[in-house]
Amino acid sequence: MTKNKQLSFLDRYLTLWIFVAMIIGIGIGFFFPSQNNSEKSEVFNLPLALGLIIMMYPPLAKVKYETIKEVFKNIKVLALSLFLNWIVGPILMFVLAITLLKDLPHYMVGLIIIGLARCIAMVIVWIELAHGNREYAAGLIAMNSVFQVLFFSLYSFIFLSFLPSQLGIQVTNISVDMLEIAKTVAIYLGIPFFLGFSSRYLLIKVKGLDWFNSSYIPTISPLTLIALLFTIIYMFSLKGDMVMALPLDVIRIALPMVIYFSLMFVISYFMAKKFGAKQDEVTAIAFTATGNNFELAIAVCIGVFGINSGEAFAGVIGPLIEVPALILLVKLADYWNKSWK
């Protein structure tokens, strides 16, 4: 049985830290307005690139890539997880985005990108809090990591270009460069994926698994939050003139995300039970399918559309909504798990 775990001080108040970072960024932008008003930023903006890569590194170093073989033992459940993550999730977010944000195309595109970035990071915390199978989740996360490296650019073409054109949706004033997305994914997911994978195996080989888990992982874990907050401050420092519009924009972006988290979790949980997964595996499948990789979504939105873009703004609102939503879903999962014992 998974040992009950409490959120760390940093993770417990993540929503608060994000709010504080937004306020600091807006304050900087208001009192020291930036001279850079361009809509695009270079993908190789060094400080920002380092921040985003550092943000992605710890989750990818934590993934136990060797556990992928465990997931393959139950082909039926594995197929369900892939179906939920790479068919149901992206389609559900796409439908919500074009339905609720069609009049705000930049936010709509940002939301679609969030739906394409499948969870590989903080989902482990939610799974442990809900007494799910951590090792099984690690295998699913490893699969998501590989799929994102290989297929994110293809999915971007399907959901940002092909499907909108087939549905007659005109995304005005937005140019989606698939080559630019591929380059951004290679930088912001490919580099930390390589660093996480290689450092895990090299350090375990040299220092041992116990040292890696007890010393190295706790040391690097806070880097994700620190880098995320740095990115938020940097982005919002360019948005001091949006202070009055910010609350309404947040609500518009939050509504489809709340609906997404609720529907995705319920659908995933009950489908996993129907497919015969064990109770702790059901929890792992449901949270893995429900969460999103906001680090990658933010990186892609900034790299492709620019720091000042509505797409990037939608991406940075993501974790602000996800944290309280998934904390509530942890309580729901715990209740359901106890009810079905």
Side-chain angles (χ1 to χ4, degrees):
M1 180 181 289
T2 306
K3 184 180 179 181
N4 190 16
K5 178 180 176 178
Q6 298 298 319
L7 281 169
S8 69
F9 176 77
L10 289 176
D11 291 334
R12 189 181 307 128
Y13 298 104
L14 178 57
T15 302
L16 174 61
W17 309 143
I18 293 173
F19 265 121
V20 171
M22 289 169 60
I23 293 171
I24 292 173
I26 291 171
I28 294 172
F30 183 79
F31 291 106
F32 306 99
S34 173
Q35 299 302 312
N36 178 19
N37 295 315
S38 63
E39 285 297 312
K40 289 285 289 181
S41 67
E42 292 296 326
V43 175
F44 294 102
N45 179 315
L46 185 57
L48 193 58
L50 288 175
L52 291 167
I53 290 170
I54 291 170
M55 182 167 57
M56 292 290 295
Y57 170 69
L60 289 166
K62 292 177 186 178
V63 172
K64 297 183 178 180
Y65 298 96
E66 65 273 15
T67 62
I68 293 180
K69 60 184 179 183
E70 298 299 323
V71 180
F72 277 107
K73 289 183 178 179
N74 190 333
I75 301 298
K76 186 178 180 181
V77 175
L78 171 64
L80 171 64
S81 180
L82 293 176
F83 174 73
L84 290 169
N85 270 284
W86 295 99
I87 302 296
V88 177
I91 290 177
L92 177 59
M93 189 69 91
F94 177 81
V95 171
L96 290 170
I98 64 174
T99 302
L100 299 177
L101 291 174
K102 191 175 181 180
D103 61 319
L104 298 170
H106 294 283
Y107 292 162
M108 180 186 74
V109 169
L111 207 67
I112 292 172
I113 291 174
I114 290 173
L116 301 182
R118 310 312 301 163
C119 194
I120 65 170
M122 197 177 176
V123 67
I124 286 290
V125 176
W126 312 126
I127 290 170
E128 288 186 344
L129 287 172
H131 307 100
N133 188 321
R134 190 186 194 282
E135 302 308 315
Y136 195 82
L140 296 177
I141 289 170
M143 288 297 299
N144 276 348
S145 301
V146 174
F147 265 66
Q148 284 187 105
V149 171
L150 296 178
F151 299 117
F152 189 90
S153 296
L154 174 61
Y155 267 64
S156 297
F157 168 75
I158 293 172
F159 285 92
L160 296 178
S161 181
F162 177 75
L163 285 180
S165 66
Q166 293 299 307
L167 296 173
I169 297 174
Q170 298 296 324
V171 186
T172 58
N173 299 322
I174 292 180
S175 176
V176 181
D177 187 337
M178 292 305 133
L179 181 60
E180 193 75 8
I181 286 183
K183 183 169 65 174
T184 303
V185 172
I187 294 170
Y188 294 118
L189 183 57
I191 291 176
F193 181 87
F194 171 77
L195 293 175
F197 180 87
S198 59
S199 65
R200 176 179 180 84
Y201 277 90
L202 289 173
L203 289 174
I204 289 176
K205 184 176 181 179
V206 174
K207 301 287 289 185
L209 181 60
D210 290 340
W211 176 88
F212 185 84
N213 288 331
S214 62
S215 297
Y216 187 70
I217 290 298
T219 299
I220 66 171
S221 291
L223 293 177
T224 294
L225 176 57
I226 294 170
L228 173 62
L229 296 179
F230 166 78
T231 302
I232 292 172
I233 291 173
Y234 189 91
M235 290 177 60
F236 277 89
S237 69
L238 303 176
K239 298 178 181 292
D241 58 345
M242 293 179 60
V243 175
M244 298 305 294
L246 184 61
L248 180 59
D249 289 351
V250 172
I251 292 172
R252 289 294 306 273
I253 296 168
L255 178 60
M257 290 188 64
V258 170
I259 297 173
Y260 170 84
F261 289 133
S262 303
L263 289 179
M264 197 66 197
F265 184 80
V266 172
I267 292 170
S268 302
Y269 191 96
F270 284 98
M271 285 191 70
K273 283 194 68 67
K274 185 175 179 63
F275 271 63
K278 298 176 183 178
Q279 195 63 46
D280 59 350
E281 294 176 352
V282 168
T283 303
I285 292 170
F287 277 101
T288 304
T290 302
N292 292 92
N293 182 357
F294 287 103
E295 296 89 347
L296 177 61
I298 292 170
V300 170
C301 288
I302 291 174
V304 176
F305 301 103
I307 298 171
N308 289 313
S309 67
E311 293 84 355
F313 182 75
V316 83
I317 294 302
L320 180 68
I321 307 304
E322 183 187 48
V323 173
L326 265 65
I327 287 175
L328 291 176
L329 290 177
V330 165
K331 297 182 182 299
L332 178 62
D334 198 42
Y335 172 76
W336 280 347
N337 289 342
K338 291 177 180 176
S339 300
W340 273 298
K341 276 187 177 179

